[in-house]
Amino acid sequence: MVIVLGGILYYNYGGYAQEIQRLRQEAIEMVRSSSEDTFVPSRISMVYDAHGQLISFAQGEKNADYVEFKDIPEDFVRAMVSIEDKRFYTHYGVDWRRTTGAIVNTFIPIYSSKQGGSTITQQLIKNLTDDREQNASRKVREIMRARYIEKNYA
């Protein structure tokens, strides 16, 4: 009981409650200002002249083409979901079981490798934002963004 009370006091008076609220607002604003085009990865930069004619393009490290969801074979979708995020259709952006497992594994190594707790939605956010920090603040941002993306686009 003392540990729980101490945790609550530390959370509120240590400034984390305000930080979580700030990250929540940031996530809401990011999703609010997004559109379907936000979720198309830009791996190729197109260069146009003053008349709107394509004159060149610069390709990044990956060559990727956007494919409509309806054009992806159903078996491929099922395979990806079963490998990457088994509870994809039920967790609304954050798989709390996997996230908790990843946190526990950080302190008490249960798995031989670092088990990721990110859902497909969280992986999408990471790829779109290029937010690569390795800290709890990034994970909280990712969780907030995933919840609001799922709420607005699922």
Side-chain angles (χ1 to χ4, degrees):
M1 179 72 169
V2 172
I3 293 173
V4 171
L5 183 59
I8 291 170
L9 290 172
Y10 183 71
Y11 173 78
N12 284 315
Y13 294 107
Y16 292 109
Q18 292 171 344
E19 178 69 4
I20 297 291
Q21 188 60 24
R22 186 187 67 73
L23 293 172
R24 180 178 176 274
Q25 283 305 118
E26 179 185 296
I28 291 169
E29 186 53 40
M30 182 198 133
V31 172
R32 186 177 292 141
S33 64
S34 66
S35 69
E36 287 185 23
D37 293 335
T38 304
F39 304 102
V40 178
S42 57
R43 298 288 184 205
I44 298 175
S45 296
M46 307 291 204
V47 181
Y48 296 92
D49 67 14
H51 304 290
Q53 298 295 316
L54 178 66
I55 57 174
S56 181
F57 66 91
Q59 185 173 317
E61 60 191 55
K62 293 182 180 180
N63 185 11
D65 292 321
Y66 180 76
V67 178
E68 293 284 335
F69 183 76
K70 66 181 176 52
D71 297 330
I72 301 172
E74 193 174 317
D75 289 340
F76 180 80
V77 173
R78 281 198 303 267
M80 290 303 295
V81 169
S82 73
I83 291 167
E84 291 292 327
D85 191 354
K86 287 180 176 63
R87 289 179 286 279
F88 176 73
Y89 296 106
T90 60
H91 60 53
Y92 308 107
V94 180
D95 186 338
W96 293 108
R97 187 185 306 173
R98 283 182 64 193
T99 300
T100 303
I103 292 168
V104 169
N105 195 54
T106 300
F107 300 104
I108 306 167
I110 299 167
Y111 308 104
S112 58
S113 66
K114 294 237 180 200
Q115 292 289 320
S118 294
T119 63
I120 291 173
T121 307
Q122 289 171 285
Q123 292 174 40
L124 170 70
I125 291 163
K126 189 174 184 180
N127 290 333
L128 291 174
T129 62
D130 286 328
D131 192 351
R132 302 282 188 242
E133 291 179 50
Q134 293 291 321
N135 59 36
S137 206
R138 179 197 57 87
K139 197 54 149 175
V140 171
R141 278 193 304 272
E142 194 176 272
I143 287 169
M144 297 290 188
R145 290 170 176 170
R147 291 183 64 221
Y148 289 103
I149 282 176
E150 290 274 339
K151 182 178 179 182
N152 287 278
Y153 289 100

